[in-house]
Amino acid sequence: MKRLTPLGRITIVALILAGLWGLKWLIMDSGYVMTKQLTTSQDVGKVDLPTAPKNASSTVQAMSLPGEKPANLNSPQVRWLMWAWNAQMGAILANGGSETTEGSIMAKKGVNLKITRQDDVPQMQASLIKFANEYKSNPSTPEGAHFVTIMGDGAAAFLSGVNPELEKIGPDYRAQIIYTCGKSLGEDKFMGLPSWRDNPQSAKGGLTAAVLRDGDWNIVVKWCGDNGIRINPDETTYDPDAMNFVAADNYLDAAEKYIAGYSEDREVVQNGKRTGEKKRVSVNGVATWTPGDVNIAEKKGGLVSIVSTKEYRSQMPCVLIGIKKYMEDNRPTVEKMIEGIAEGGDQVKSYSAALDKAGELSAKVYNEADKAYWVKYYKGTQSADKQGLVVDLGGSAVHNLGDNAEIFGLNSGSTNVVKIVYDLFGGVASKLYPKLMPSYPKSDDVIEVSYLKDVIAKAGSNVSAAETVAFTNDANIKEKVSEKSWSIEFESGKASFSPQTEKTLNELFNDLVVANNLRVEIHGHTDNTGDPSKNMNLSEERAFAVKQWMEQKSPNNFPQGRVQVFAHGQTQPIVPNNSPENKAKNRRVTIVMGK
């Protein structure tokens, strides 16, 4: 479980405001002053993410648990800064704790690794830059950090504050993503009124407390995009037709604002214009993680999990970031380190003794709680809140080599999860907050898979496969998570796609594969032109065409039984068929995701 105290995960707000190198220059050196401006609530569109592999039990042999005594290694020390996050349990187990111990996986590989908890993102950024600056003249420098781990959906913002400075040293000194240690699998969540879960459109006008531009804020933004609900990026106004936000200092503060019944008077806006009306609004939604959700459940109750990283399971991979020049100069060490993290992940996945040991070591590394605490919230649990509602709490997963082959798109039929997560959430931040984050480093420059490829090649048949989600063909959606209509152009009277459709299909593909724990229903609709019975058949053929396109593009993300097709012909128009424009609106495909 990651970032579990007020000193835990620093926010993306702080990351952008305090960590973006160059923002300080803009304010202090150029006289630039940031002022509040009225911004129009925006449809963020489809925040499209690919599927990440499910946490799996592998068939690897059990390994001896690490000892307590520090290993006597002659190899140079590798320094790694990380948040308190259960997704890193495999790495912590592999190292035997903060420093490499005798009998540990890392010691056997000759990797001398020092792991340090660091919750301050600007400090992480500064440590990478410090190391790179010193490394250029002294490869043995004790300054700074060689590696950090952060959320994949925050990586674009993180690196936008790092790589411009690193590239001043030289283009070979940029920071790169090379591996994923694991992911959030439920603990990061959007909590709201039960009516929002039952009818997402009723969330319009909601007021959610969140750390703005943080990963959990991203969950809310994605859910709104999936349901066609606009986002109001101005936390000083209130838009009754959009999701609104109250800025929180941290994830516990976000929960506390709901618990305390936080309210404020805001100017009402519609379509980006002030109406002259003022309205008193109260927090009725929260973006948080454990134990923020625990506090809500125990102290007040009344909110349920609308959606979390259990459904959006690819949103928060725990990405390992290092300096390109150092990694190129020390490739054997880097690859041995990846091997060790992966083998530790296999052990945590497969054996309760390894998970228990990882929980014990996590408590020591993070200097917080005890083994039972970390193990409980690694697995995730359920609890009844103060009003009797059952809520999900916690949930993370570790990765092995097979998971990484899948998440980086190296397996046949897979897609590059890390790249799409990086680009999509970098794009969201830039779209909603262009002054704070006008651009970010290109994913092709910062995602480097050659180390992972080499490790996989050396492992050969010893790579444990990533577990996939299985669906039965006869099960329909019982609990809807999102519903949105898509305008997919077909050739007139046919089930073949028009040349303009490719971009829309790719957006839909990314939108669906984010949630590989959810079923997908594709509902086909036509206008009223032509024979009704033929229209019914045509709507079915078109829905099947979309289904087949998805399955052919990535069979791993769309296994048999996940996607169901429904035909409605001209029977469910959303507007009267009385104009060419309205007919076009009725020719649509509606996508429903749910459990």
Side-chain angles (χ1 to χ4, degrees):
M1 179 182 58
K2 63 180 181 293
R3 308 163 307 278
L4 297 171
T5 69
L7 295 177
R9 178 173 56 180
I10 204 77
T11 68
I12 298 303
V13 178
L15 185 157
I16 297 176
L17 293 177
L20 285 180
W21 297 88
L23 183 58
K24 179 179 179 181
W25 175 84
L26 282 172
I27 296 173
M28 297 181 65
D29 295 340
S30 69
Y32 175 81
V33 178
M34 291 174 54
T35 58
K36 290 286 185 184
Q37 293 185 353
L38 181 62
T39 53
T40 303
S41 299
Q42 297 187 43
D43 180 354
V44 299
K46 299 160 286 297
V47 181
D48 308 329
L49 296 167
T51 299
K54 180 182 178 183
N55 189 45
S57 293
S58 63
T59 56
V60 298
Q61 295 296 312
M63 302 177 71
S64 58
L65 297 176
E68 302 290 333
K69 186 177 179 181
N72 185 17
L73 298 172
N74 295 321
S75 52
Q77 188 180 74
V78 179
R79 298 178 295 278
W80 177 353
L81 304 181
M82 62 169 60
W83 284 317
W85 185 0
N86 269 329
Q88 298 154 145
M89 270 193 172
I92 290 175
L93 176 70
N95 202 46
S98 295
E99 299 196 28
T100 311
T101 62
E102 290 183 351
S104 68
I105 295 171
M106 291 297 183
K108 294 173 183 177
K109 296 180 180 297
V111 178
N112 183 8
L113 180 62
K114 180 177 177 60
I115 296 173
T116 303
R117 176 177 179 172
Q118 176 55 265
D119 298 321
D120 190 322
V121 169
Q123 283 296 321
M124 283 185 166
Q125 294 173 306
S127 293
L128 284 176
I129 294 170
K130 177 68 173 176
F131 169 74
N133 270 307
E134 297 295 329
Y135 181 80
K136 187 170 185 178
S137 59
N138 177 18
S140 300
T141 177
E143 302 293 334
H146 302 77
F147 294 96
V148 302
T149 35
I150 65 166
M151 297 177 297
D153 60 336
F158 181 92
L159 293 176
S160 69
V162 172
N163 278 4
E165 291 299 310
L166 291 174
E167 288 174 354
K168 293 176 183 177
I169 306 171
D172 291 339
Y173 284 83
R174 68 171 64 103
Q176 294 182 316
I177 298 168
I178 62 167
Y179 191 73
T180 68
C181 300
K183 62 177 174 285
S184 174
L185 193 61
E187 65 167 293
D188 295 83
K189 59 173 61 69
F190 170 35
M191 302 181 73
L193 299 174
S195 60
W196 297 1
R197 184 179 61 187
D198 299 336
N199 175 20
Q201 296 305 310
S202 68
K204 290 180 179 178
L207 184 64
T208 295
V211 178
L212 302 184
R213 297 168 292 279
D214 173 75
D216 296 312
W217 175 84
N218 282 335
I219 295 174
V220 186
V221 170
K222 172 167 172 50
W223 181 83
C224 288
D226 287 346
N227 286 286
I229 299 171
R230 291 184 298 163
I231 295 294
N232 180 9
D234 185 351
E235 64 270 24
T236 67
T237 62
Y238 176 76
D239 188 335
D241 298 319
M243 178 58 70
N244 304 273
F245 291 93
V246 167
D249 294 330
N250 54 61
Y251 74 108
L252 290 178
D253 180 45
E256 188 58 34
K257 279 182 164 53
Y258 168 73
I259 294 167
Y262 179 87
S263 301
E264 62 184 34
D265 294 319
R266 291 193 175 187
E267 291 188 75
V268 177
V269 298
Q270 287 187 297
N271 299 318
K273 296 180 179 179
R274 301 181 191 274
T275 65
E277 177 189 358
K278 277 200 171 183
K279 183 178 179 65
R280 189 157 187 82
V281 291
S282 300
V283 169
N284 51 7
V286 180
T288 190
W289 58 89
T290 310
D293 51 358
V294 177
N295 292 345
I296 290 171
E298 293 180 349
K299 295 181 179 181
K300 185 173 183 177
L303 298 185
V304 297
S305 177
I306 304 300
V307 70
S308 74
T309 50
K310 188 173 183 179
E311 291 82 25
Y312 295 163
R313 62 175 55 238
S314 69
Q315 180 172 321
M316 288 189 190
C318 178
V319 293
L320 180 64
I321 297 175
I323 302 298
K324 178 181 179 182
K325 177 64 170 149
Y326 165 80
M327 294 189 295
E328 289 177 343
D329 292 345
N330 298 273
R331 181 174 284 269
T333 298
V334 175
E335 291 181 1
K336 288 294 183 182
M337 184 174 157
I338 289 175
E339 290 175 8
I341 301 169
E343 290 174 17
D346 268 325
Q347 295 299 304
V348 171
K349 283 172 176 284
S350 304
Y351 300 102
S352 58
L355 175 58
D356 287 345
K357 185 65 175 180
E360 173 192 325
L361 294 172
S362 294
K364 294 178 180 179
V365 171
Y366 304 141
N367 192 29
E368 184 176 341
D370 57 17
K371 174 183 73 176
Y373 180 83
W374 294 98
V375 172
K376 175 182 179 180
Y377 289 111
Y378 172 83
K379 295 178 179 179
T381 186
Q382 285 189 327
S383 178
D385 73 8
K386 198 169 182 179
Q387 299 184 28
L389 296 174
V390 176
V391 292
D392 295 323
L393 307 172
S396 283
V398 295
H399 284 167
N400 59 18
L401 282 184
D403 296 323
N404 273 272
E406 185 73 17
I407 203 170
F408 280 99
L410 302 182
N411 287 339
S412 175
S414 66
T415 190
N416 192 332
V417 171
V418 179
K419 176 180 170 62
I420 298 178
V421 168
Y422 180 94
D423 285 334
L424 259 296
F425 282 104
V428 166
S430 289
K431 179 178 181 179
L432 292 178
Y433 301 94
K435 287 189 175 181
L436 292 178
M437 187 177 159
S439 65
Y440 53 93
K442 294 180 179 179
S443 55
D444 289 341
D445 292 334
V446 301
I447 297 176
E448 177 55 67
V449 298
S450 65
Y451 301 95
L452 177 60
K453 285 183 176 179
D454 286 349
V455 172
I456 291 173
K458 292 173 185 175
S461 61
N462 293 323
V463 176
S464 299
E467 185 174 321
T468 57
V469 181
F471 297 91
T472 56
N473 286 317
D474 58 348
N476 294 324
I477 290 174
K478 298 179 178 62
E479 182 179 331
K480 186 188 301 183
V481 172
S482 64
E483 179 176 356
K484 188 171 183 178
S485 294
W486 292 68
S487 178
I488 299 177
E489 294 185 14
F490 292 87
E491 294 184 11
S492 179
K494 300 180 181 179
S496 53
F497 301 117
S498 71
Q500 295 77 27
T501 302
E502 187 73 17
K503 180 180 178 181
T504 303
L505 284 173
N506 279 313
E507 290 176 349
L508 175 57
F509 169 84
N510 291 336
D511 195 53
L512 296 179
V513 297
V514 59
N516 71 330
N517 198 39
L518 296 180
R519 296 182 177 279
V520 177
E521 292 180 354
I522 302 179
H523 296 258
H525 303 268
T526 69
D527 59 27
N528 66 347
T529 302
D531 180 76
S533 63
K534 290 183 179 179
N535 282 340
M536 186 66 70
N537 291 335
L538 181 60
S539 68
E540 182 178 45
E541 290 172 1
R542 287 177 170 175
F544 264 114
V546 175
K547 175 179 183 287
Q548 292 169 354
W549 189 91
M550 299 294 166
E551 291 173 340
Q552 290 172 3
K553 183 175 176 66
S554 182
N556 296 7
N557 294 318
F558 294 91
Q560 184 178 7
R562 185 188 177 198
V563 181
Q564 302 285 333
V565 166
F566 297 85
H568 302 282
Q570 63 188 53
T571 63
Q572 296 182 7
I574 55 175
V575 292
N577 283 292
N578 55 9
S579 69
E581 293 76 18
N582 280 0
K583 286 178 181 286
K585 291 178 181 179
N586 289 327
R587 296 191 299 269
R588 69 195 190 279
V589 171
T590 301
I591 302 298
V592 177
M593 288 191 287
K595 304 173 185 178

